[in-house]
Amino acid sequence: MKTDTQRQARSITQQILQELAAGRKSQPLTIAVGVSNRHVHLSRKEMDMLFGYGSSLTRMKALKQPGQFAAQETVTLRGPKGELQRVRVLGPLRNVTQVEISVADGFVLGIGAPVRMSGELQGSPGITLVGPHGEVAIPEGVIVAWRHLHISPEEAARHGLTDGAEIAVETQGPRAGVLRHVKVRVSAEALAEIHLDQEEANALGLRNGDRVQIKSYGPKVA
């Protein structure tokens, strides 16, 4: 009888442990949202032409991702149909100038910018940038940023995420919905944050710091 009781106790204990483990696994992974408005990343060459030779960006506000910041400097974007003034420059300087706008901004400018990941600029339209010391026309570099998740290698491994994969996220609130095709970007020292543009955030009623739940995982995108 004592043996049967011990066996039963062990069985119940194992069942409880399995249920607790299952409960931990089923807890949804939530990630903070960072909302991006239109902005510009400048190379050294364009920085010199727009703000003067040897000029440097003036840090205004640190962004969540380590080393990234919003600068005091702004430029005017001039397209075939119109222009957008006081567009913020983000630092630090990059190897290639890149302009990130919304779909609606493209209508104002007269530019059909493709939805791309940062750095995928080949074949994208160009634009004229105007600064206090001059202006420059870049032949390509205007994109609508593809929604994406920044995450460190350690945290990505912990949650089974791989660089280039796609995930779906669900939002809560009055305008709740599901966003698919969120690309994963794994990089050293990155802080977990999902970047959406202003249009996507507005459609779902999201603001900086709101959290969304990861719902599903997809294969790595070539």
Side-chain angles (χ1 to χ4, degrees):
M1 178 69 75
K2 186 175 180 180
T3 302
D4 291 341
T5 302
Q6 290 174 337
R7 288 174 181 171
Q8 188 176 19
R10 283 198 300 269
S11 177
I12 293 173
T13 300
Q14 289 175 352
Q15 184 177 355
I16 291 173
L17 291 174
Q18 289 172 356
E19 289 175 355
L20 288 173
R24 286 195 297 270
K25 289 180 181 178
S26 65
Q27 290 179 354
L29 172 61
T30 64
I31 302 290
V33 169
V35 182
S36 297
N37 203 348
R38 67 181 76 100
H39 60 270
V40 175
H41 301 278
L42 292 176
S43 70
R44 179 73 262 171
K45 175 184 175 182
E46 275 72 44
M47 182 74 188
D48 287 343
M49 297 178 72
L50 296 171
F51 294 97
Y53 183 78
S55 57
S56 59
L57 293 174
T58 308
R59 182 184 295 263
M60 182 181 71
K61 181 179 68 173
L63 303 179
K64 184 172 181 179
Q65 296 307 310
Q68 305 295 306
F69 62 92
Q72 292 184 7
E73 287 75 18
T74 62
V75 298
T76 294
L77 302 180
R78 184 177 295 159
K81 287 180 58 178
E83 65 180 32
L84 296 169
Q85 299 180 349
R86 299 188 61 79
V87 178
R88 186 71 54 192
V89 178
L90 301 188
L93 296 179
R94 294 191 175 185
N95 293 329
V96 179
T97 291
Q98 176 175 298
V99 178
E100 298 182 33
I101 62 173
S102 69
V103 174
D105 290 338
F107 295 148
V108 173
L109 296 167
I111 292 175
V115 181
R116 299 269 187 88
M117 290 295 291
S118 179
E120 297 178 359
L121 307 180
Q122 186 174 4
S124 63
I127 199 168
T128 298
L129 297 90
V130 183
H133 284 259
E135 62 181 64
V136 58
I138 58 173
E140 62 182 15
V142 184
I143 63 170
V144 175
W146 196 307
R147 48 184 175 257
H148 56 278
L149 163 66
H150 287 286
I151 194 166
S152 68
E154 296 77 17
E155 193 164 4
R158 195 156 56 242
H159 297 295
L161 298 171
T162 56
D163 187 56
E166 288 190 359
I167 59 175
V169 300
E170 183 177 25
T171 70
Q172 305 300 318
R175 308 188 78 177
V178 175
L179 279 174
R180 304 186 187 281
H181 306 301
V182 180
K183 291 191 179 181
V184 178
R185 298 194 66 182
V186 179
S187 57
E189 299 182 358
L191 296 178
E193 185 180 39
I194 288 180
H195 282 186
L196 307 177
D197 70 21
Q198 193 69 60
E199 290 176 332
E200 293 171 319
N202 287 345
L204 296 167
L206 293 171
R207 296 181 297 178
N208 277 315
D210 288 346
R211 301 188 74 85
V212 296
Q213 292 183 5
I214 293 183
K215 301 299 292 183
S216 64
Y217 303 79
K220 183 171 181 177
V221 178

